[in-house]
Structure formats: C-alpha cells, structure tokens
Amino acid sequence: MSLTLVQRTVGNYKSWNRGIYTRNTACISLSNGEPDTGIVFIDKETGNEIRAGIENASYGGNGQKTVILNSDDMKVICTEHILAALYLTGITNARITCEGRPKDSPVVCEMPMFDGSIEGFIEAIQNASIINQEEN
C-alpha cells in the first residue's frame, strides 16, 4: 500500500484591504502554483520572490506581533493569517503577488488584514477556487 499525498492550488483572485501596521492599502493576487513549488510570495513591483518556509520565517518584535518572511531581496509582514487560511483549505502550492508596499521601505510587502481574522483569506481562496493537482 502506498500513500499518495494530494496537492492543491488555487485559481486566480485579487483582493485588497488595509495593512494593520503601515495602514497602506495592501493588495494580494492569488494564482496557481505548479506542483511541488509550495507557497511563494512575489513583490509585483520588483518581481522578487520568497518561499514560505521556516528557513525564511521570523517573529516581528518591536511591538509587531507578526510572522515575517525575510530574504536578502524582500520582506513580507503579517503572513500568519494567509498561511493559516491556505493550510486550513489544504492548499499546498500557490503564488501570492503583493502590491501596495510602503514608499519608505523598498523591500516590504504587507498582507491585508480584513477584519483581523482569517475569514477574508478563506473567502478569497474559496472565490479563487481550489484545484486538485497531479503529482510531478
């Protein structure tokens, strides 16, 4: 007996709201990720990418109680809600393009906060549609 893991991705969907820390309008576009690519955040303005993984994660500090994804090329803040929503909906591969970063920081993308829960992200994922994928 072999165990087959089902991979899932999302269709295309765009959503925006204010960021909790910068108060700037933050926009995300969900799109499908290829099998075995995981969750990838993309800065629309620069094209820089960062993979969601423990190797890139840190905790906010300085009064920011948030999960931050860091690389040499970009930083994405407030990722915990969208990552929880992706996990709860079984999404294993997705591309999340963010735009609306603060003008004073050329490397920061902030996720929109909606009502402060994951409900807005769950709704965005469901509106984008959930797609089962074949193994590579």
Side-chain angles (χ1 to χ4, degrees):
M1 181 170 119
S2 67
L3 177 64
T4 302
L5 298 176
V6 175
Q7 295 190 51
R8 299 169 91 185
T9 191
V10 295
N12 296 328
Y13 189 77
K14 189 171 189 173
S15 187
W16 55 91
N17 203 287
R18 290 219 178 271
I20 194 167
Y21 293 109
T22 66
R23 300 286 186 221
N24 290 345
T25 299
C27 178
I28 58 167
S29 298
L30 301 175
S31 59
N32 56 17
E34 293 296 319
D36 302 318
T37 58
I39 309 301
V40 179
F41 290 84
I42 302 106
D43 181 339
K44 182 176 182 176
E45 190 170 312
T46 65
N48 293 334
E49 297 185 3
I50 186 169
R51 188 172 187 275
I54 194 70
E55 68 278 2
N56 294 324
S58 64
Y59 184 68
N62 293 333
Q64 292 184 344
K65 297 179 180 175
T66 183
V67 175
I68 300 172
L69 296 176
N70 290 292
S71 73
D72 292 337
D73 298 324
M74 74 183 284
K75 180 191 290 189
V76 185
I77 62 176
C78 298
T79 59
E80 61 273 16
H81 293 167
I82 192 164
L83 291 173
L86 290 165
Y87 177 79
L88 288 173
T89 55
I91 303 299
T92 55
N93 304 298
R95 297 180 62 76
I96 303 162
T97 302
C98 53
E99 55 185 292
R101 54 196 174 104
K103 295 186 185 347
D104 61 341
S105 180
V107 294
V108 174
C109 292
E110 183 176 23
M111 295 292 99
M113 289 312 297
F114 302 106
D115 68 354
S117 73
I118 67 169
E119 186 175 347
F121 293 110
I122 296 278
E123 184 177 303
I125 292 164
Q126 289 173 335
N127 285 332
S129 75
I130 298 171
I131 304 162
N132 287 336
Q133 296 178 300
E134 298 293 323
E135 282 186 74
N136 256 356

